[in-house]
Amino acid sequence: MTPAKAGTKAEAKVEAKLPKADSPIAVELAKKQKAISVAEFFEKNRHMLGFDSLPRCLITCVKEAVDNALDACEESQILPDIYIRVRKVDERILNVVIEDNGPGVQKDVLPRVFGKLLYGSRFHAIRQSRGQQGIGISAAVLYAQLTSGKPVRITSRIDPKLPAYVYELKIDTQTNEPKLLSENYDDFFTSRGTRIELNMEATYVRGRQSVMEYLKNTAIVNPHARITFVDPYDERVIFERACDVLPKQPIEIKPHPHGIELGTLIKMLQSTDNLKLSSFLSLSFAKIGGHTMDSICKEANLDPAMAPQDLAQDIDGVKRLMAAFQKIKIQAPPKDCLSPITGDLLKKGLTQNHRVDFISTVSRPVNVSRGNPFLVEAAIAYGGDIDTEGRAEIYRIANRVPLMYQQGACAITHAIERINWKNYNMEQPKGAKMPQGPIMIMVHVASTNVPFTSESKDAIADIPELEDEIELAVREAARDLGRYLAEQKKALDARKKIKMFEAYTKELAIALQDLTGKDHAVIEAQLRDVLAKKFTKFIDTDEPVKQEAANDSPQ
Amino acid sequence: MTARSKEIVEKLTQVGEDVLGDIKAGKNPSIDITMRSLSNVYYDEKSGLIKLGDDKQKRYYFNLGQAKKFLQTMLIAKQIKILLEQDKPALSIRQLFYTLKHEIPGAGENTFDLQEESDPIIEDMELVTNSLREELNLIATPNGVLSGPMVVEDKTGDVLDFTKMGSAGGAVPPIVEDDFFHIKEMSADYILVVEKYAVWNLLNQEKYWKKNNCLLLTGKGQPARAERRLLARFGEEYKIPIYVFTDMDPWGYYIYSVYKSGSINLAFFSEKAACPRAKYIGLSVKDVREFDIPRSSWVKLNDEDFKRMEEIASYDWFKKDKWQKELADLKKFGYKIEQDALVSKSIEFTANNYLPAKIENKDYFD
């Protein structure tokens, strides 16, 4: 968001000397050009941030707050305990409360965290996290304020020994600065953590694409979190923890040369403290050692001893450096910047929230796309309380955040559609792209930089490496399910055959009684005995029966 | 119960006892079934009969593909035993099918769904007990019709004069053994078997049997057991010529061979139900030229006809030169001719021209 520049003083002087009719069009246009306030931009581009429909506004708000709460808790090594309550204020306005047991927000930065767009701690860090740009929660605050006219109320306590502060704040829509309206103590806020309360124009819905659905899926992929939700009808649902171990904290890494963009590189060159290009390269990037550094400088025809700031002035030089990054073989980025859910916990999370007959999970190894490490996890569940009607349900997750919208535009969906599901013993009607039946397919993509199709982070872009990995993960899980289904079918057939055979045996015993005069009950028991002792396998060894009689003759 | 019936009942009881023996010994219960496929049938040139070999196959209970058939076999065995013990009038094989057809509790299926399932098992039982269906008190519905100089005393006590059966003719009863169908008088000079009822009917209306002093019999296409057995009796009991008159196509030829030599499926029955002395009177390929059968009544042989012709040519009882030549001629000619087509010459042509000429000129073959 770069505000358009207004005309400079010098241009204004020149303009004054010219006859009015001859003034260049640009001058006329310049008069109309002015800075766009954050609020205006937001109003016009609500959809970009996920505030386009009334049900979605609520989900986005809850999602941003919950994402923040989970990130904050994990960074502080706290098992998340999150409470969400939605109430109706009137026909138009909902009151939303999200409370966590996280580290709280320090008094000094609190207004900016909640009351300033593009403010955050994670934008510059390269590692897997839910929030990135620092738009989320302040956008929710802004939206609440614009639609209800009310300030938001934020309570935070950073230490049980310190009081809990309650702030009411608004965003100055002209300057994008927070404005504190009041500051108080909350004697009833007992726990450590943060609570945010907003009034906003929104609609509460149930079913697909609802807050409930989002929370349910969040709980599955964050099995270490307890999530409590109270809906407008005062019904309380608790998604209990499936494990009490925090996920491995992803390590922050330096940028990898393969993922860097020209502008970023120039900015890094300008602002570095290193005096030489050589030390700049070795210290600011991941996986550039002395030897690699030498090769890069040679390839780019740059002096390793030159000052980075000087190089920043030489666009051609920077471009040569970029080209060298691509040409020289550089090790893949480190992998501990990612935090997979892992198969076990994915399984626990899923079964905690669903009753299923079968589940298979897959965690793929870390891979790299455009310099960004990423990994894919997949889970396929079958049966139980999964809807048996229609096609399989797909759950898309990016960095532990469920994606709720634009399923059709997502690489996850596209990868699933590439699979022929009949190969895995699943039903797939002709022309259908998804399998049919009580099947749930969940895919988690974790990356330091998930390539979303748009700012509202609804769908993952079709990057070939990514799509291939997703397909591999889903296929692996599908193979497991395919085997299970085959066994199920076999067992079902065997049960049918045993049942049929039991019926035959009764009938046969009676016929033998008629033939021999012996008691049929005794005969039946003996027959069952023989079957149990020797011929239990007869069900599988179905030898072909020879044609016994030709049928070409008269009776 | 007759002595014969008692004997059969004992054999059936033994079948049950053998099965119980298997069960007690902890073995997979089985019964031996004589195979009735082409591979276990041979042509005995000396007698001119199709006979059954000794190949047997075990039918097991603990075998998915055979379990139901095994059960069906036991059901039929016990039902025949019950019928014989009760000394009731003979049942048709369809009626037997219905006495046994019921839903098996808990299996969601029936003991039998189609009569095609029970009929072959009845034949198995004939072999197991070494008896004929008629002795098991079972009958197949006959189709045969008969007229000519013969008087018979039926089991019912009625006396039937086959010169007084009108245009419909006299029916062949299901059982034609002497104690059911006692021939009191028979003065025909020969017997003419006609494949089709319509042709038989035409000949009967013209009193062909009276003009030529013969017996006129039809089995209405493929003959049932009763017609075959009756012809066999005539062959044994009266030394008069027997001629078979059929369509000129592989199906007609095969009908002739069934009357004469027996059939593959009922090979065990041949000795009682085949008539090796029967001769083939036509239609034959050379008749087309000799009797100038108009082209309009020729019908092109189809793929199925050619296939069947090849099969027939490979049967041992068709290996005789005359038959191989006839089959080769038919193949070359490429058309079939029905007996009915002879009316295209004139309605009386068959009775007044074709048959007398063939018999007069001894224009028939084995």
Side-chain angles (χ1 to χ4, degrees), chain B residues 259-324:
Chain B
Y259 277 116
K260 181 183 176 76
S261 305
S263 66
I264 298 167
N265 203 28
L266 298 183
F268 62 94
F269 185 53
S270 297
E271 278 183 58
K272 288 216 148 191
C275 179
R277 292 204 295 106
K279 304 233 183 301
Y280 188 73
I281 201 168
L283 292 164
S284 151
V285 180
K286 70 176 178 52
D287 293 346
V288 179
R289 184 169 33 83
E290 285 176 13
F291 292 92
D292 193 23
I293 297 168
R295 212 195 151 93
S296 58
S297 49
W298 304 358
V299 178
K300 248 198 159 69
L301 288 166
N302 59 34
D303 291 349
E304 224 183 312
D305 295 327
F306 282 112
K307 219 182 111 202
R308 184 68 181 137
M309 234 154 37
E310 302 235 325
E311 270 172 22
I312 283 182
S314 73
Y315 293 156
D316 283 341
W317 51 99
F318 277 98
K319 287 275 161 70
K320 297 165 185 168
D321 294 346
K322 271 265 185 189
W323 273 112
Q324 291 294 321

Side-chain angles (χ1 to χ4, degrees), chain B residues 75-356:
Chain B
L75 288 171
I76 284 179
K78 68 105 183 171
Q79 194 63 23
I80 292 171
K81 179 181 175 248
I82 291 169
L83 287 175
L84 288 173
E85 284 171 341
Q86 290 177 350
D87 216 5
K88 295 256 169 75
L91 285 186
S92 76
I93 52 177
R94 184 149 189 86
Q95 285 159 344
L96 179 80
F97 161 70
Y98 274 117
T99 62
L100 291 170
K101 181 170 157 52
H102 65 266
E103 196 185 319
I104 304 170
E109 58 178 319
N110 291 326
T111 49
F112 296 91
D113 284 318
L114 300 166
Q115 198 189 330
E116 282 81 67
E117 296 170 64
S118 59
D119 285 356
I121 296 176
I122 292 170
E123 288 157 13
D124 292 338
M125 285 300 109
E126 291 177 75
L127 278 160
V128 164
T129 59
N130 194 22
S131 61
L132 289 183
R133 175 176 307 174
E134 291 71 15
E135 297 173 305
L136 299 177
N137 225 12
L138 291 172
I139 51 168
T141 316
N143 286 321
V145 182
L146 185 63
S147 57
M150 178 171 74
V151 177
V152 169
E153 191 179 341
D154 191 81
K155 200 197 180 187
T156 56
D158 294 340
V159 176
L160 313 166
D161 182 348
F162 282 86
T163 61
K164 296 193 165 62
M165 291 297 176
S167 53
V172 175
I175 303 179
V176 294
E177 302 307 317
D178 190 56
D179 48 345
F180 286 77
F181 193 73
H182 175 64
I183 301 170
K184 291 178 74 163
E185 283 170 41
M186 218 291 283
S187 58
D189 292 335
Y190 65 89
I191 297 170
L192 180 68
V193 182
V194 180
E195 177 184 342
K196 287 176 172 165
Y197 178 76
V199 178
W200 179 92
N201 190 45
L202 198 62
L203 294 172
N204 186 46
Q205 290 196 38
E206 289 169 19
K207 300 250 181 197
Y208 177 89
W209 52 268
K210 196 172 186 179
K211 289 175 201 157
N212 297 280
N213 193 36
C214 66
L215 278 183
L216 207 52
L217 170 70
T218 178
K220 296 185 183 165
Q222 272 291 7
R225 294 165 62 115
E227 293 86 52
R228 292 170 52 189
R229 173 71 186 132
L230 183 59
L231 194 69
R233 271 193 73 192
F234 287 142
E236 284 163 21
E237 293 169 23
Y238 304 95
K239 303 296 163 200
I240 53 172
I242 294 168
Y243 307 116
V244 180
F245 176 34
T246 73
D247 285 345
M248 189 183 92
D249 64 21
W251 320 94
Y253 299 160
Y254 189 74
I255 286 172
Y256 158 74
S257 81
V258 167
Y259 277 116
K260 181 183 176 76
S261 305
S263 66
I264 298 167
N265 203 28
L266 298 183
F268 62 94
F269 185 53
S270 297
E271 278 183 58
K272 288 216 148 191
C275 179
R277 292 204 295 106
K279 304 233 183 301
Y280 188 73
I281 201 168
L283 292 164
S284 151
V285 180
K286 70 176 178 52
D287 293 346
V288 179
R289 184 169 33 83
E290 285 176 13
F291 292 92
D292 193 23
I293 297 168
R295 212 195 151 93
S296 58
S297 49
W298 304 358
V299 178
K300 248 198 159 69
L301 288 166
N302 59 34
D303 291 349
E304 224 183 312
D305 295 327
F306 282 112
K307 219 182 111 202
R308 184 68 181 137
M309 234 154 37
E310 302 235 325
E311 270 172 22
I312 283 182
S314 73
Y315 293 156
D316 283 341
W317 51 99
F318 277 98
K319 287 275 161 70
K320 297 165 185 168
D321 294 346
K322 271 265 185 189
W323 273 112
Q324 291 294 321
K325 184 181 180 298
E326 177 70 16
L327 286 163
D329 287 351
L330 182 67
K331 197 171 167 185
K332 217 164 101 191
F333 181 54
Y335 293 89
K336 55 188 171 187
I337 292 170
E338 292 187 275
Q339 339 178 258
D340 311 76
L342 296 181
V343 300
S344 60
K345 300 275 290 183
S346 80
I347 292 177
E348 302 82 12
F349 179 78
T350 308
N352 296 346
N353 304 77
Y354 179 80
L355 289 169

Side-chain angles (χ1 to χ4, degrees), chain A residues 374-376 395-399 401-403 405-415 443-447 449-454 456-464 466-467 470:
Chain A
F374 74 94
L375 70 81
V376 175
Y395 295 95
R396 300 169 293 135
I397 321 286
N399 285 351
V401 179
L403 308 182
Y405 292 88
Q406 297 207 42
Q407 180 171 306
C410 189
I412 292 177
T413 313
H414 298 157
V443 176
H444 177 220
V445 174
S447 175
N449 186 4
V450 177
F452 289 107
T453 54
S454 71
S456 54
K457 302 205 253 181
D458 291 320
I460 298 174
D462 291 326
I463 313 294
L466 197 65
E467 225 175 317
I470 295 169

Side-chain angles (χ1 to χ4, degrees), chain A residues 248-272:
Chain A
K248 187 172 66 78
Q249 206 37 35
I251 309 294
E252 183 174 339
I253 60 163
K254 291 169 193 160
H256 190 274
H258 282 168
I260 205 80
E261 281 172 356
L262 186 69
T264 317
L265 180 58
I266 293 173
K267 227 165 87 185
M268 285 171 73
L269 285 164
Q270 281 168 344
S271 59
T272 181

